[in-house]
Amino acid sequence: MTEEKQFNLILLGPPGAGKGTQAGLLVNAYDLLHVSTGDMLRSAIKEGSATGLKAQEYMSKGELVPDSIVTQLVVDRMGKPDASGGVILDGFPRTKPQAEALDNSLKENGRTIDVVLYVNASLDVIIQRLTGRRVCPECGMNYHITNIPPRKEGVCDTCNVDLFQREDDEPETVKNRLVVYEKSTKDLIGYYREKGLLEEVNGDISAEELFEEVDSLFRGEGLVK
Ligand code: AP5
């Protein structure tokens, strides 16, 4: 993708709505960089870095990691050469200060957000998805025990290693993540609606159906070719 065709997209929505799954489909379709703060923080935890140790205190309880840590991670990542063609921000911003810091950073770098895709989903769907999610420790692929099962039960199709359940997908932590979403992140829907950037889609449908809907929406608006 050339510089003039840069496309920057934010994925907003409750935990388990399917943001990461759509991001995976969209990055392949449009050749964008997937910037997932959840994935970056989990990598930092795996590496045992100072950021990771700090982040784990919050993530294990389903709380948000402090704005300063997350914002710095994203700003640094967006400054790398492979982000120049456009990015999908998945799970960021999640608070008003994060959104404002992003606005400032984009402005300084002459970039803009083209669209904020709000993936909404109903509560029973969210809980079913989060409690059934299984993740590959090697490639990070998200499966689901019934919705998106691997070919061999409990094993990644690509890496052939055992899948695991995320610590924050335990039912009690899921409950807190939903409370935190309502309290801290939901306000961003209004923030981006006022800017005329918000597009809402229903995440309750299958991942393939949702991708097709989003793809036609973006093509219809001339955001992608
Ligand atoms: P993060 O990793 O971003 O978690 P999240 O936003 O809670 O989102 P999830 O990854 O749980 O859900 P998703 O919407 O991506 O759904 P997915 O596609 O995986 O953040 C984790 C933690 O990190 C936070 O709690 C916080 O502590 C910290 N953090 C991250 N960003 C931060 C920030 N900006 N500020 C502060 N702290 C931050 O799908 C879920 C399951 O459903 C999967 O099993 C999938 O296979 C299945 N599925 C997906 N779509 C469908 C579909 N359409 N039909 C059927 N099944 C589906």
Side-chain angles (χ1 to χ4, degrees):
M1 204 177 251
T2 56
E3 194 65 39
E4 58 273 19
K5 284 187 194 160
Q6 192 186 72
F7 177 47
N8 296 307
L9 157 71
I10 291 174
L11 289 177
L12 186 65
K19 304 180 298 294
T21 302
Q22 290 307 310
L25 297 169
L26 294 166
V27 287
N28 285 336
Y30 311 141
D31 195 18
L32 301 172
L33 178 73
H34 182 192
V35 178
S36 157
T37 40
D39 287 350
M40 286 194 281
L41 293 166
R42 280 184 288 276
S43 296
I45 292 174
K46 212 169 164 184
E47 285 161 15
S49 67
T51 299
L53 288 174
K54 187 84 193 148
Q56 189 162 27
E57 286 173 34
Y58 297 89
M59 290 172 77
S60 61
K61 292 184 265 182
E63 296 292 331
L64 293 183
V65 174
D67 290 334
S68 55
I69 296 181
V70 183
T71 302
Q72 195 58 51
L73 279 179
V74 173
V75 168
D76 289 351
R77 191 65 192 89
M78 287 187 74
K80 298 262 164 66
D82 59 352
S84 62
V87 296
I88 297 187
L89 293 174
D90 166 11
F92 181 92
R94 251 173 158 101
T95 63
K96 190 117 178 283
Q98 289 181 19
E100 288 166 350
L102 176 67
D103 288 345
N104 292 337
S105 167
L106 290 166
K107 208 169 170 190
E108 276 168 24
N109 293 292
R111 300 172 81 157
T112 49
I113 292 296
D114 296 283
V115 62
V116 177
L117 189 70
Y118 168 36
V119 184
N120 202 357
S122 52
L123 187 59
D124 51 344
V125 166
I126 288 174
I127 292 178
Q128 188 267 1
R129 285 187 186 165
L130 291 179
T131 48
R133 170 165 49 193
R134 298 294 181 270
V135 184
C136 173
E138 298 284 328
C139 67
M141 169 78 185
N142 279 326
Y143 294 89
H144 188 281
I145 49 174
T146 51
N147 305 356
I148 306 176
R151 282 193 293 272
K152 185 175 166 200
E153 194 183 329
V155 177
C156 178
D157 291 347
T158 314
C159 309
N160 204 31
V161 295
D162 286 348
L163 305 176
F164 72 97
Q165 182 167 24
R166 266 171 49 175
E167 189 186 8
D168 62 350
D169 282 346
E170 298 292 339
E172 276 311 303
T173 317
V174 165
K175 267 193 218 160
N176 192 40
R177 285 164 65 198
L178 290 166
V179 170
V180 168
Y181 171 76
E182 289 290 326
K183 199 174 68 184
S184 308
T185 308
K186 235 182 160 181
D187 284 353
L188 293 182
I189 296 166
Y191 181 84
Y192 287 116
R193 186 175 279 132
E194 271 174 29
K195 288 180 183 282
L197 291 173
L198 199 82
E199 291 290 353
E200 180 173 351
V201 289
N202 172 16
D204 283 356
I205 58 179
S206 79
E208 294 73 22
E209 282 172 312
L210 181 56
F211 170 72
E212 277 173 30
E213 188 181 321
V214 171
D215 185 50
S216 17
L217 178 79
F218 290 170
R219 287 181 198 282
E221 292 188 359
L223 292 166
V224 294
K225 294 217 168 85

